[in-house]
Amino acid sequence: MALSDEEQKWVPRLQRKLESTQAHDQLMDAYYDGEQRLVQLGLAVPPELRKFTTIVNWPALVVEAIEERCDVKSFLRGGQDRTDSELRDAWDGNNLDSEFPLTFIDHLVYGRGFLSVGSNEDDAENPIIAVESPTEMALEINPRNRRVLAAFKLYGVDDDHAVPYLGTLYLPDVTIWLEREGGGWVEIDRDVHNLGRVPVVPFLNRRRSGRWEGRSEIENAISLTDAAARTLTNLQLAGETHSVPHRYFLGASKSDFVDETGAPIPVWESYFSAIFASANKDAKVGQFAASDLKNFTSTVDHYAQLLAGLYGLPMRYMGQNTANPPSADGIRADEARLIKRAERKMSGAGDQLGRTMALWLRFKTGKWPESGDRIKVEWHDAATPTYAAKADAIQKLTGGKPILSREGGWDELGWSDARKERERALLAMEDADPVLERVSRQLMAAGNAPAARAEVFDDEGFDAASTSGA
């Protein structure tokens, strides 16, 4: 089937949009992987010594310090107050505990990430939620209703093709698979799903009002990262040339620098002070003090402080350790800004995950959920309390006059629904056990008896003393 005029207009339009971001994406990718090319003026480090270049990978720290705090806990449908097991099954069935962090990292690194939802030909009860690479996909959004107008995925590059030769066009009522042929595109297959929405959900980082293109989280870290890398490179070079104490030899002649066979001593041997004595009585040997390289390390520490202040990172994340370990209150104070930034990211990502799960339900059931997109995501705590501290706090909250119910305590501990079911079953077994019930009655009776009387109970729980004479 040939593409309609409306369908044809989207392919070149979105393809140009995708190609316009390639240079920026490659740069962000290189900085995240620590493979960026360091630009040197060549004043302190000549070109032939570029092999001493040292890269400091702070951009990866900036991204992962946030991402590792953002873990999905459960889902709630609109108007409900209990976790939805069906949506949790969808999450687990698509391995999103391991897959969704890829999208989260993508939207921090590139400024955008994508999830797509589609039919599963192998298991109709479990539609596919797939992570899409930002380097392969572009879309446009209607700013009025914030819905995706169209999306285009460009992929299929291999050794035999200089450019991508496969594409997928996502439109509100149809998904079309394309193949490049000559200078254009031809249709391979299409899925008419009549969703009324494009089954692609964008995750945009650092979005501004009126702008529907995210920005990379690591852009502001690039200049400080390069400055630290240049300083460390200069430190490497200084370590080779200035950290070894230099010696001087006055009154010596060329013949003093030969071995027992008369062959000249290699330069590196004399440089590292292989000569410690000379038969020349007029020669004088001395040593210069080695250079202090603390100016380099102090400069790197200063750059680290600037970066930590910019991103709200604790200085210990930057390798700045003190003699005394930080206290629990100190850790909380250090991480306050980082935790709040992580919670802000959760808020935006949670809205888009709600839309993703609504799409999943539509593909599975053939109709939109009654709550629409109002599916709430519960996240694990972005802070870093120890398990013991958290359990102790919960125990205090549930002791005496409980503030939390038993089930609420389980929720705070992050237990899964399956774990809760096991605990409910075990508690029910304990309540139904006649031995435990008998012991409980005996203990209660003993507590109400006079202290001077020692009571003995038979196997049936009756007072042996009172029944022996009956």
Side-chain angles (χ1 to χ4, degrees):
M1 181 184 297
L3 297 177
S4 67
D5 293 341
E6 180 68 17
E7 294 166 350
Q8 287 180 349
K9 79 172 186 179
W10 284 113
V11 175
R13 182 172 176 174
L14 294 174
Q15 185 176 348
R16 287 192 300 269
K17 186 174 183 179
L18 179 59
E19 291 171 349
S20 69
T21 64
Q22 286 181 349
H24 176 270
D25 291 346
Q26 290 172 0
L27 181 64
M28 296 301 102
D29 192 55
Y31 271 92
Y32 177 69
D33 289 335
E35 297 176 349
Q36 68 269 28
R37 179 182 175 87
L38 185 63
V39 178
Q40 298 269 12
L41 295 178
L43 299 178
V45 182
E48 58 270 16
L49 296 178
R50 294 287 170 82
K51 60 186 177 182
F52 289 101
T53 298
T54 302
I55 299 299
V56 53
N57 198 1
W58 284 343
L61 173 63
V62 167
V63 169
E64 292 169 8
I66 299 174
E67 185 279 326
E68 64 192 14
R69 293 175 178 269
C70 301
D71 293 323
V72 173
K73 180 180 178 182
S74 60
F75 298 92
L76 299 172
R77 296 200 199 188
Q80 297 185 3
D81 56 3
R82 293 185 65 86
T83 59
D84 193 290
S85 58
E86 185 178 24
L87 294 178
R88 185 67 213 190
D89 289 342
W91 183 267
D92 294 337
N94 284 280
N95 301 318
L96 290 177
D97 273 334
S98 60
E99 289 290 306
F100 179 68
L102 303 179
T103 295
F104 207 95
I105 289 175
D106 281 345
H107 102 289
L108 294 175
V109 173
Y110 302 107
R112 62 197 189 283
F114 304 103
L115 288 178
S116 67
V117 185
S119 302
N120 187 345
E121 58 274 13
D122 298 324
D123 183 4
E125 292 297 311
N126 187 28
I128 295 174
I129 302 176
V131 175
E132 304 290 354
S133 171
T135 62
E136 297 179 343
M137 179 169 282
L139 51 73
E140 283 197 14
I141 296 176
N142 184 336
R144 183 175 178 275
N145 58 18
R146 303 182 181 183
R147 291 185 180 177
V148 179
L149 294 170
F152 182 61
K153 180 180 179 181
L154 193 62
Y155 59 102
V157 177
D158 59 22
D159 296 337
D160 298 328
H161 297 80
V163 294
Y165 65 95
L166 293 175
T168 304
L169 178 62
Y170 300 89
L171 297 173
D173 294 318
V174 63
T175 298
I176 308 171
W177 289 269
L178 305 169
E179 183 175 11
R180 190 189 297 271
E181 187 174 284
W185 294 89
V186 296
E187 180 181 333
I188 301 175
D189 194 9
R190 67 171 52 208
D191 175 20
V192 182
H193 45 66
N194 293 319
L195 290 174
R197 290 189 201 174
V198 175
V200 175
V201 180
F203 294 77
L204 303 179
N205 184 58
R206 296 176 63 196
R207 188 178 69 82
R208 303 286 298 277
S209 59
R211 303 178 188 175
W212 292 96
E213 296 177 355
R215 296 192 60 185
S216 172
E217 193 72 18
I218 64 180
E219 286 180 349
N220 293 335
I222 288 178
S223 59
L224 288 172
T225 299
D226 286 348
R230 280 190 288 268
T231 303
L232 289 173
T233 300
N234 293 337
L235 173 61
Q236 283 244 76
L237 185 62
E240 290 287 334
T241 58
H242 291 77
S243 62
V244 178
H246 287 197
R247 284 186 167 85
Y248 60 84
F249 208 161
L250 303 178
S253 63
K254 187 177 181 179
S255 60
D256 292 318
F257 294 91
V258 296
D259 59 18
E260 62 276 7
T261 65
I265 296 175
V267 174
W268 70 270
E269 286 191 15
S270 59
Y271 174 76
F272 281 102
S273 306
I275 299 176
F276 293 96
S278 173
N280 187 343
K281 61 183 179 62
D282 297 323
K284 295 182 179 180
V285 179
Q287 177 177 292
F288 296 108
S291 297
D292 186 355
L293 305 182
K294 288 184 178 179
N295 57 320
F296 293 104
T297 58
S298 298
T299 302
V300 174
D301 290 346
H302 179 60
Y303 291 145
Q305 291 171 3
L306 293 175
L307 187 79
L310 182 63
Y311 285 97
L313 297 174
M315 279 304 296
R316 54 195 166 84
Y317 280 32
M318 314 299 294
Q320 309 297 312
N321 295 321
T322 60
N324 297 320
S327 64
D329 291 336
I331 291 175
R332 283 192 292 270
D334 279 349
E335 294 180 348
R337 282 188 60 205
L338 177 59
I339 293 169
K340 179 55 66 176
R341 290 178 68 240
E343 290 173 346
R344 287 280 189 265
K345 305 297 182 186
M346 291 178 185
S347 178
D351 292 341
Q352 299 305 86
L353 276 177
R355 293 183 171 91
T356 302
M357 304 314 288
L359 279 167
W360 183 89
L361 287 170
R362 170 62 176 80
F363 271 97
K364 179 181 180 180
T365 64
K367 58 183 180 180
W368 293 102
E370 294 180 1
S371 61
D373 289 348
R374 293 189 300 111
I375 295 176
K376 181 181 178 182
V377 180
E378 286 189 311
W379 302 81
H380 286 286
D381 189 359
T384 54
T386 63
Y387 189 86
K390 190 171 184 178
D392 180 63
I394 292 171
Q395 184 181 27
K396 291 177 180 177
L397 289 174
T398 55
K401 296 180 179 180
I403 297 176
L404 294 176
S405 65
R406 183 180 64 193
E407 298 260 350
W410 293 349
D411 285 336
E412 289 298 318
L413 286 173
W415 287 3
S416 66
D417 288 335
R419 174 69 186 275
K420 295 176 187 177
E421 288 297 333
R422 289 199 303 270
E423 290 299 322
R424 294 187 190 107
L426 291 172
L427 290 170
M429 290 173 59
E430 289 180 357
D431 292 340
D433 191 329
V435 175
L436 293 176
E437 184 180 359
R438 190 162 57 246
V439 171
S440 177
R441 285 193 289 107
Q442 292 173 0
L443 292 175
M444 291 178 62
N448 294 327
R453 181 187 176 199
E455 298 183 0
V456 180
F457 296 87
D458 62 14
D459 291 340
E460 296 299 323
F462 293 102
D463 186 345
S466 62
T467 58
S468 59

